[in-house]
Amino acid sequence: TKICLPVPDSQLYFAYSALLDPIRMANVAPDAEFLFSAHYAETGLVFVNANGNGAVPSLVESPGSTVWGGVFEISSADIDSLVEQEAAEGRQPGWEHRAIDRAGNKHECVTFVCHAGEAIRAPLEDVETMSRGARHWKLPAGWVVGLEDLVEDPLFG
C-alpha cells in the first residue's frame, strides 16, 4: 500500500526584503495574502555582496537585534515563482528561527537568506522599496525609520 502525504495548499513566508512592497509581491506571487507583521528576535539585517548580485539584503544572528517583516500566505501555485525570485536575488531558504507576531505567537515560515558575502552599504533603491512596503503593512515606526536611515548611516551593516 502506497502512502501519500498531503501537499500543503500554501506556505507561510516571512518577507523582509524588497518583496515587502505590495507591487513587487504581486508581480512575483499574485495570490499572496498578507496575514500579519512579525519579527525575528536576536536577528540583524545586513546587505552583502553575494555572487556578483550587488547588495543583497540578508539576515544574520545578532544578539539584541530584531528584524521586522510581513508574513504572507503563499499559494502552492506561487511558491516556485517566489523561490526563483529569491534565488535570482542571491538568497536561498534557510533561516531556522520562528517568526514572532505582535501577540508573541511563534510561526514556522520559510525565509530566504544569503549564506555568504561581504557586508556592504545598502543601496538607496532597495531601501526605498523595503521602506515603502514596511510603511504599507504598518510595521513598527522605529523599524521603518531605521530602514530609511540605512542609506545615510548603515546601522545594520
Side-chain angles (χ1 to χ4, degrees), residues 29-111:
D31 295 332
E33 180 183 347
F34 177 82
L35 299 179
F36 51 86
S37 60
H39 70 278
Y40 283 119
E42 309 301 314
T43 301
L45 174 67
V46 295
F47 285 78
V48 296
N49 187 3
N51 303 327
N53 287 332
V56 176
S58 190
L59 303 177
V60 295
E61 293 200 24
S62 179
S65 298
T66 299
V67 172
W68 281 90
V71 174
F72 293 81
E73 185 172 24
I74 305 295
S75 71
S76 57
D78 286 341
I79 288 174
D80 287 343
S81 175
L82 177 68
V83 170
E84 286 176 23
Q85 178 64 40
E86 289 281 9
E89 292 180 18
R91 287 181 297 273
Q92 300 297 322
W95 196 245
E96 299 299 321
H97 304 285
R98 296 191 310 175
I100 304 168
D101 66 25
R102 290 179 189 246
N105 301 306
K106 295 181 179 181
H107 304 271
E108 294 288 338
C109 299
V110 64
T111 303

Side-chain angles (χ1 to χ4, degrees), residues 5 10 37 77 108 117 119-120:
L5 298 176
S10 64
S37 60
E108 294 288 338
I120 58 176

